[in-house]
Amino acid sequence: MGFPLPPFLFCILILSPFFLVAQSQSIGNVTPGASHTASDINSTWLVSPSGDFAFGFQHPNEDKDLFLLSIWYAKIPEKTIVWYANRDNLAPRGSKVELTADRGLVLTAQNGSELWKTESLNGTAGSGFMNDTGNLVLQGSNRNINVWESFNDPRDTLLPLQIMERGRTLSSRLSESNFSKGRFQLQFLQDGNLVLNSINLPTDYMNENYYQTNTNGLQLVFGQSGDLYVLSENNTKFNLTSDQGSSSGQLYFRATMDFDGLFTVYSHPKDSFSNWTALRYFPENMCLPVFNQSSGVCGYNSYCSLENNRPVCKCPTGYSLLDPNDPNGSCKPDFIQGCKEDELSPTKDLYEIEVLNSIEWPYSDYVQLKPFSEEECKQSCLEDCMCAVAISRIDNGVFGCWKKKLPLSNGRVQNRQNLKALIKVRKDNSSLPGQPFLNPEIRKRNENDTLILVLLSVFAFLTLILLGALWVGFSIYQKKLKINQRVDRVNVDSNLRYFSYEELIKATDGFKDELGRGAFGVVYKGAININMGSTFLVGVKKLTTGLVQEGEKEFRNEVNVIGRTHHKNLVRLLGFCEEGPQRLLVYEYMSNGTLASFLFGDSKPAWNQRIQITFGIARGLLYLHDECSTQIIHCDIKPQNILLDDYNNARISDFGLAKLLQMNQSQTNTAIRGTKGYVAGEWFRNMPITAKVDVYSFGILLLEIICCRRSVDMEAFNEEQAILTDWAYDCYREGTLYALVENDEEALNDKKNLERLVMVALWCIQEDPYLRPTMRKVTLMLEGVVEVLVPPCPSPYTTTAPWRD
Ligand SMILES: *[C@@H]1O[C@H](CO)[C@@H](O)[C@H](O)[C@H]1NC(C)=O
Ligand SMILES: *[C@@H]1O[C@H](CO)[C@@H](O)[C@H](O)[C@H]1NC(C)=O
Ligand SMILES: *[C@@H]1O[C@H](CO)[C@@H](O)[C@H](O)[C@H]1NC(C)=O
Ligand SMILES: *[C@@H]1O[C@H](CO)[C@@H](O)[C@H](O)[C@H]1NC(C)=O
Ligand SMILES: *[C@@H]1O[C@H](CO)[C@@H](O)[C@H](O)[C@H]1NC(C)=O
Ligand SMILES: *[C@@H]1O[C@H](CO)[C@@H](O)[C@H](O)[C@H]1NC(C)=O
Ligand SMILES: *[C@@H]1O[C@H](CO)[C@@H](O)[C@H](O)[C@H]1NC(C)=O
Ligand SMILES: *[C@@H]1O[C@H](CO)[C@@H](O)[C@H](O)[C@H]1NC(C)=O
Ligand SMILES: *[C@@H]1O[C@H](CO)[C@@H](O)[C@H](O)[C@H]1NC(C)=O
Ligand SMILES: *[C@@H]1O[C@H](CO)[C@@H](O)[C@H](O)[C@H]1NC(C)=O
Ligand SMILES: *[C@@H]1O[C@H](CO)[C@@H](O)[C@H](O)[C@H]1NC(C)=O
């Protein structure tokens, strides 16, 4: 020992802690019993006499606790590992490699488990050393026989003076920093042919060769001066690279089976910090090979284009990476497509075509049409729910069309005249859950029934109520409630997704996390996985079985009506499920809760915020009543059914369900739709149910928003204030509106608006539906566009009893 360190190596040692030389490092031989432990201080165990190569432990990736037993270039700054032992079994800190006589090198973890050992040792090891060629050698006790050499057990790299015999293989790594076995391999076959091919991991199933020399060689030889050739029996050379000539003394060479599939010969100046330079690539264009039994060079639905001789994978328009951390992996469509989805929204212009020039996917076609112009090809793909992509190109002088389905494989750039990939992309991707999510937290139906009873008792002292109640019961029995909604659903164009029950069980983890309970069913929190990619949160409403008619068509019609609504003040329906008796609706999710908790919580929300919420609800209702192709009457407007999104915009939920429920309730109706306290008198009387019932509920809601209190509260207020509607009218008539908002400074300073809102509310809660304004008029009044006239007394009990008809 006692080799002085070359000055150059010293320089690097100082520059880079990476090259710290350990105390235990050996230049020369180690004998059985010698060992080396994986730690950051003692990275190098053996160094070749010239100092060019080192053997020891390296970190393969960022994890500083995992070590790879390996050989690397010791004098250059880039970490260049040329051989590695435990590629599938990284060594934890403290693991130890030991030279043993009978088993060669053995790598064991601290707990004693064996991580790796040399295979096929030919004899007993007497010593080990790192040769200047980069070959790690174990010699027998009589120094003349090599019982094991790293050159005979290659990984992904050949070094000068290394010879590959027939039957040997180089395997690529999985990636730059993952040393597990990768997809690509170089094989020197028994027949003397040198080939490159890919395997389909995790198996060794081999795809067709993408490069071959067709030689009848004996050896693959990497010469000292970077010349790589197949040496034949008759001593002729099949040259892969030429001799690099006189520069051999100044250059390092290596030939590596790279993880992107290229077998590359590199050189690196010995005395400089410049990078490795690629001298030759095999094959020259890695994008051209096709593997008919796998995704090809890139992942599925991806295409390969050559940049600086190396393959780069790209996703087509409308597609994105399945795994954002794997830029060379598969791509997924950013939209939902399929015959089932299309069936739910059978309009032809759901999709548009994005054209990519000179891109080809040679496989995955299911039909070829010829002669067929590019335009015909586009149309044909747009109208075909199976078609994901079509290729239009000239074949034997005639335009042809190849329609393809997913997944696409072996995509690549191919410079060919008139070659066009027609990618079918969904136009409206807004239905894809992605951004704003709502929490359809339909609170437990915490309408306090006892309060309602008290309320009723207030009325009860008017003896007429008894008669009225009897009448109500009678009329409910007798009457089929008619909701006069237009049945006009010819143009169904919702973007709803169909979910299987199984899928929703999985999404909600077996209906575990209950968000709330409403009149129609229970809402659960769930996470849905669309297109294998991202998960996102949803609210899954499981409609009470038996409540909804089982007819498939009617259910779908109603769901489609709901699905066609698009308004920023509505909670979005994303999809549904109908299986056997199960009926489920999948909604946007948002964690901001209900208007009820917002209004009746501990602190009063700001006046301005409340006004904005009012406007939002009014606009949402106006949309449901007037602006949908099919009018939707909500029937259950209350603060528990208004949710707030991330920006505290009001979002109406549960709309459209009343109609669903009504379908089979004519005989068994036991409860009036809607929630007590918010329902209009029509429900109790022999009058048609119109959109005006929602106007009534909105009026109640508006008063609650103004006052931040529930419409009926017997405990917190004295008798004259207990019924909000009555109290509000009293205050209005007496000019004491300030009492309604108590100490709300903001509201008090905004007297004009306060008065207007109260007046609008009083118009909305008129007993007589014909006196109530439409939602359109309501929004105009709220915005101050039309004048609000003095409202009459909303419930003129003394003159006209509500049940009198
Ligand atoms: C380096 O390893 C040797 C044994 O291989 C050990 O004796 C020595 O303590 C180690 N040095 C440090 C600093 O851990
Ligand atoms: C020992 O450690 C290795 C690596 O951490 C681990 O895979 C193995 O399960 C452990 N074996 C025992 C017996 O604890
Ligand atoms: C093993 O060593 C013997 C000589 O000791 C030699 O003849 C034989 O070829 C070697 N086998 C291998 C596989 O290296
Ligand atoms: C070590 O490498 C030199 C070339 O640098 C070579 O001549 C020699 O045979 C090698 N020794 C062994 C034992 O492989
Ligand atoms: C390397 O990739 C394989 C397969 O994907 C994986 O199982 C392994 O954990 C990876 N190793 C490291 C160190 O990341
Ligand atoms: C040597 O063999 C190769 C095929 O392996 C053949 O192409 C070549 O003609 C042969 N050369 C001589 C001189 O026989
Ligand atoms: C291969 O290269 C060597 C020297 O580098 C040269 O002598 C030989 O003629 C070349 N063979 C062929 C087939 O080009
Ligand atoms: C070496 O390559 C790295 C990236 O691969 C680059 O950042 C660096 O500039 C290169 N150095 C030289 C001297 O070319
Ligand atoms: C795939 O390629 C192999 C070899 O080229 C060929 O034998 C096989 O028929 C091909 N299979 C398909 C499905 O094209
Ligand atoms: C993807 O491929 C490019 C080109 O082959 C390569 O530079 C890059 O490192 C690869 N990325 C990964 C994560 O494999
Ligand atoms: C919809 O597509 C456009 C352009 O293709 C894209 O910018 C946008 O992010 C997409 N939106 C969603 C929600 O995916």
Side-chain angles (χ1 to χ4, degrees), residues 490-518:
V490 184
N491 182 22
V492 180
D493 61 355
S494 63
N495 285 318
L496 293 179
R497 165 153 181 208
Y498 180 81
F499 291 93
S500 70
Y501 190 55
E502 188 69 33
E503 212 173 342
L504 292 181
I505 290 180
K506 214 170 129 217
T508 55
D509 200 3
F511 300 108
K512 209 163 113 197
D513 193 353
E514 183 176 320
L515 291 173
R517 246 165 224 278

Side-chain angles (χ1 to χ4, degrees), residues 259-260 311 327-328:
F259 62 90
D260 57 8
N328 302 329

Side-chain angles (χ1 to χ4, degrees), residues 208 292-293 363:
E208 53 268 47
N292 62 8
Q293 305 290 315
Y363 298 110

Side-chain angles (χ1 to χ4, degrees), residues 709 717 720-721 723-732 739-740:
R709 55 154 284 196
F717 299 92
E720 69 205 36
Q721 295 180 6
I723 311 296
L724 180 57
T725 50
D726 296 352
W727 182 43
Y729 184 67
D730 290 346
C731 290
Y732 172 72
L740 289 177

Side-chain angles (χ1 to χ4, degrees), residues 486-602:
R486 275 168 46 223
V487 186
D488 158 28
R489 303 180 185 107
V490 184
N491 182 22
V492 180
D493 61 355
S494 63
N495 285 318
L496 293 179
R497 165 153 181 208
Y498 180 81
F499 291 93
S500 70
Y501 190 55
E502 188 69 33
E503 212 173 342
L504 292 181
I505 290 180
K506 214 170 129 217
T508 55
D509 200 3
F511 300 108
K512 209 163 113 197
D513 193 353
E514 183 176 320
L515 291 173
R517 246 165 224 278
F520 309 114
V522 186
V523 181
Y524 301 91
K525 187 171 174 176
I528 299 279
N529 214 342
I530 280 190
N531 281 335
M532 301 171 287
S534 46
T535 43
F536 50 88
L537 295 176
V538 291
V540 178
K541 186 174 204 102
K542 197 168 179 219
L543 298 175
T544 313
T545 23
L547 266 190
V548 178
Q549 185 164 315
E550 283 183 23
E552 223 173 73
K553 207 164 159 205
E554 291 82 352
F555 178 74
R556 281 204 180 186
N557 276 344
E558 289 313 321
V559 163
N560 261 323
V561 169
I562 301 171
R564 263 187 294 158
T565 57
H566 293 256
H567 193 275
K568 64 175 181 175
N569 294 113
L570 301 181
V571 176
R572 192 74 190 270
L573 180 68
L574 304 172
F576 67 98
C577 163
E578 53 165 352
E579 231 176 84
Q582 303 294 351
R583 297 285 184 277
L584 297 97
L585 300 172
V586 179
Y587 286 102
E588 287 181 313
Y589 173 89
M590 195 176 63
S591 53
N592 259 359
T594 65
L595 179 61
S597 51
F598 185 72
L599 280 183
F600 312 137
D602 293 337

Side-chain angles (χ1 to χ4, degrees), residues 416-430:
R416 192 163 173 174
Q417 252 201 328
N418 291 310
L419 168 62
K420 283 183 181 167
L422 311 171
I423 320 275
K424 188 165 142 192
V425 180
R426 202 174 183 114
K427 267 187 206 164
D428 171 26
N429 59 2
S430 63

Side-chain angles (χ1 to χ4, degrees), residues 755-805:
E755 186 174 26
R756 182 169 50 233
L757 293 190
V758 174
M759 285 163 80
V760 172
L762 292 174
W763 274 111
C764 290
I765 59 172
Q766 291 297 315
E767 277 297 340
D768 184 349
Y770 301 107
L771 286 181
R772 292 175 214 149
T774 59
M775 278 319 292
R776 183 169 301 284
K777 183 106 184 268
V778 168
T779 52
L780 293 175
M781 291 195 294
L782 286 175
E783 284 159 7
V785 178
V786 303
E787 199 193 341
V788 192
L789 302 174
V790 174
C793 175
S795 40
Y797 292 120
T798 44
T799 51
T800 44
W803 45 86
R804 206 195 63 181
D805 252 327

